[in-house]
Amino acid sequence: VAADRISSGPLLTEVVRVALPTPDGTFEVRAFESPTGHVYLALLHGDVAGREEVLTRLHSECLTGDALGSLRCDCGVQLRLALRRIAAEERGVLIYATGQEGRGIGLVNKLRAYVEQDAGHDTIDANLRLGLPVDGRNYDAAAAVLIRLGVGSVRLLTNNPDKVRRLRDAGIDVAVVEPLATAPHVRNTEYLRTKEERLGHVRPARFDTSALLGEVRPHTDRPYVVLKFAQTLDGRIATATGDAKWISGEAERRVSHGLRAACDGVLVGVGTVLQDDPLLTVRLVPGASPQRVVLDSTLRIPPAAQVLGPEAATAVVTTPRSAPARRGELKERGVQVHVVPATPAGVDLPATLSTLRGGGAETLLVEGGAKVITSMLAAGLVDRLVVGLASTIIGQGTEAVGSLGITSVADGIRLVGRSVHLVDDDVLLAWDVAPARR
Ligand SMILES: NC(=O)c1ccc[n+]([C@@H]2O[C@H](COP(=O)([O-])OP(=O)(O)OC[C@H]3O[C@@H](n4cnc5c(N)ncnc54)[C@H](OP(=O)(O)O)[C@@H]3O)[C@@H](O)[C@H]2O)c1
């Protein structure tokens, strides 16, 4: 029987019910108004009344993360993942709590707290410095919604132990707690670490790529550059016919997607687009897709290339040698086009990286083929090297690195601070690239 009140809990009024089709499935939305004027949306899939262990997410509104895709937090990724999990299970509920911005401090105060964070304070101290609570949320109304929906007990998707305690205190039978692991971005790693260390949250360990990324130090004139490729045990990144799908196993590729999710940009040359037609999005882990960057001095990129699709932002870096009409066509599709000086290898790399840095990119993952790998290493523009060593041998094929003009081993690019990761039968190796010796 639906209860209007739970113990001393708030009175809720159900104000509307309607179907809401989303890319994650069609949900029945039931809107409840609390006496404070805040609206709680219950996004329902399947029948939950009288059911036990209903997959449930209680999601606090985060305009910047949910709607704008801000990388300061992982709220948007958690929201999408929770909706997807519920749709896949064909039964469950996500309660979207408005008025709970910034753990209950409101949108403007949350933005003010970001200013404090930019001055070096963590997410907790930032609130305290502003005289605001660390967590001002109240879960009573959300609990009342669950009771009104007739949910018997819940399997709660959360990393937050306090949410579990407080829902239990409000009379909800939390039968199971399931962590909602996301692939963190470099920009929210500290925020997640603070929540883990100071608020006891569960860490998204499965997708944590920070050991591979090393210590991220963006430069003033270019992003922190991570060069990543997968090669066979005999040192090939593709067969003699150009096939590279897939050199490494699925587990290694999942880590690669985690690396993409951690970075602001993922860069390839047009050769890789023409040969592989990659999407370059984050699909194998729950994370945000970075901006995709294609180096293409004459705009050979086919209009139908997947990398130009709407799944993520894309920038094409070209030279004065490309046709202005082609640049215009790309811009009309929402693709950024940067024109930089031409060099014999293609686009001028320092100018390219400086342009990307000017656009806000702090971390760049380079996933290009042999030509881009070679150019980046030759120009001394790589901070970190990550190599997936795949458990296969293919004989003749494309070598990862072409000529660097090095004639003496002593002049080789030195790699330091080795880090090793085992992923199924593959091995991931990462090093810092040591500064060139003079
Ligand atoms: N195993 C792996 O990890 C992996 C990863 C990626 C690719 N691949 C394989 O690598 C092969 C593609 O190799 P690729 O060497 O053609 O691809 P790429 O290095 O990604 O692209 C090379 C092209 O990028 C353009 N470019 C623009 N500026 C450049 C610059 N400064 N330096 C270098 N290139 C620049 C050039 O074309 P323009 O002169 O027209 O601008 C150049 O031909 C494919 O077989 C693919 O499957 C393997």
Side-chain angles (χ1 to χ4, degrees):
V1 178
D4 279 353
R5 283 172 181 279
I6 51 155
S7 54
S8 60
L11 186 70
L12 290 169
T13 315
E14 184 167 356
V15 284
V16 62
R17 271 186 208 202
V18 69
L20 192 73
T22 78
D24 303 307
T26 296
F27 293 83
E28 182 193 25
V29 171
R30 294 174 61 178
F32 297 86
E33 221 166 52
S34 79
T36 57
H38 293 313
V39 173
Y40 286 74
L41 298 181
L43 284 91
L44 289 145
H45 214 292
D47 188 10
V48 300
R51 300 280 179 164
E52 299 301 325
E53 300 195 6
V54 173
L55 194 59
T56 301
R57 166 79 183 158
L58 170 50
H59 190 86
S60 302
E61 173 180 29
C62 174
L63 179 86
T64 46
D66 297 343
L68 305 177
S70 161
L71 299 169
R72 282 182 181 265
C73 60
D74 63 343
C75 298
V77 175
Q78 284 197 325
L79 175 63
R80 294 259 89 76
L81 177 60
L83 288 172
R84 219 161 278 169
R85 288 277 315 270
I86 290 166
E89 182 138 327
E90 295 180 35
R91 189 188 318 283
V93 57
L94 181 136
I95 296 178
Y96 192 90
T98 68
Q100 304 262 20
E101 271 281 356
R103 296 194 300 270
I105 61 174
L107 178 59
V108 172
N109 280 332
K110 182 178 81 174
L111 298 177
R112 289 191 179 122
Y114 285 164
V115 175
E116 295 294 320
Q117 288 174 32
D118 286 349
H121 306 287
D122 71 25
T123 178
I124 294 168
D125 290 337
N127 285 25
L128 296 174
R129 286 174 64 83
L130 293 169
L132 297 164
V134 171
D135 194 339
R137 284 175 292 186
N138 181 318
Y139 298 105
D140 289 353
V145 172
L146 287 172
I147 291 171
R148 279 283 284 274
L149 297 173
V151 170
S153 62
V154 301
R155 257 161 63 220
L156 192 67
L157 290 168
T158 187
N159 301 328
N160 180 357
D162 187 50
K163 197 179 272 185
V164 178
R165 267 192 303 272
R166 302 235 249 136
L167 276 181
R168 282 184 175 142
D169 288 349
I172 300 302
D173 181 359
V174 181
V176 181
V177 179
E178 287 192 25
L180 201 55
T182 58
H185 190 280
V186 163
R187 291 178 199 260
N188 60 45
T189 313
E190 270 310 305
Y191 159 85
L192 295 176
R193 195 162 293 148
T194 303
K195 291 214 294 189
E196 177 196 353
E197 287 168 5
R198 299 189 65 181
L199 298 175
H201 283 218
V202 177
R203 188 178 198 177
R206 265 194 301 161
F207 308 119
D208 189 351
T209 52
S210 44
L212 285 170
L213 287 171
E215 193 186 329
V216 174
R217 281 163 298 195
H219 306 257
T220 48
D221 59 346
R222 66 170 175 85
Y224 177 78
V225 172
V226 180
L227 174 61
K228 157 81 175 52
F229 55 83
Q231 67 169 42
T232 61
L233 189 63
D234 49 339
R236 314 287 184 222
I237 61 163
T239 65
T241 59
D243 183 44
K245 277 187 179 152
W246 300 103
I247 283 190
S248 44
E250 166 136 359
E252 196 273 350
R253 281 187 285 124
R254 214 174 296 130
V255 176
S256 293
H257 282 221
L259 286 170
R260 284 181 190 169
C263 293
D264 289 327
V266 54
L267 181 148
V268 298
V270 68
T272 296
V273 174
L274 291 170
Q275 174 69 32
D276 296 347
D277 194 18
L279 255 169
L280 294 182
T281 53
V282 173
R283 303 180 301 285
L284 299 177
V285 297
S289 291
Q291 183 184 55
R292 302 167 293 186
V293 181
V294 182
L295 307 184
D296 185 2
S297 40
T298 57
L299 292 183
R300 290 192 285 149
I301 191 166
Q306 294 202 85
V307 75
L308 297 176
E311 295 80 5
T314 303
V316 174
V317 183
T318 188
T319 67
R321 293 167 55 210
S322 64
R326 280 282 284 133
R327 292 180 218 155
E329 283 161 22
L330 289 169
K331 283 186 195 167
E332 269 173 31
R333 294 177 62 183
V335 174
Q336 293 179 26
V337 180
H338 303 299
V339 182
V340 301
T343 66
V347 305
D348 182 79
L349 289 177
T352 298
L353 297 186
S354 162
T355 302
L356 296 175
R357 184 74 185 92
E362 293 184 352
T363 43
L364 180 69
L365 183 68
V366 175
E367 283 195 30
K371 292 197 183 76
V372 165
I373 294 171
T374 307
S375 295
M376 293 291 297
L377 284 172
L381 294 169
V382 179
D383 297 294
R384 185 86 174 164
L385 181 68
V386 179
V387 179
L389 200 54
S391 49
T392 183
I393 294 172
I394 58 171
Q396 204 179 15
T398 307
E399 288 168 2
V401 189
S403 173
L404 294 171
I406 294 171
T407 51
S408 153
V409 174
D411 294 334
I413 295 170
R414 282 183 314 121
L415 307 171
V416 296
R418 183 240 326 111
S419 162
V420 182
H421 307 261
L422 308 180
V423 271
D424 287 353
D425 279 341
D426 299 339
V427 182
L428 272 156
L429 298 159
W431 295 265
D432 283 332
V433 177
R437 277 178 285 219
R438 296 185 184 276

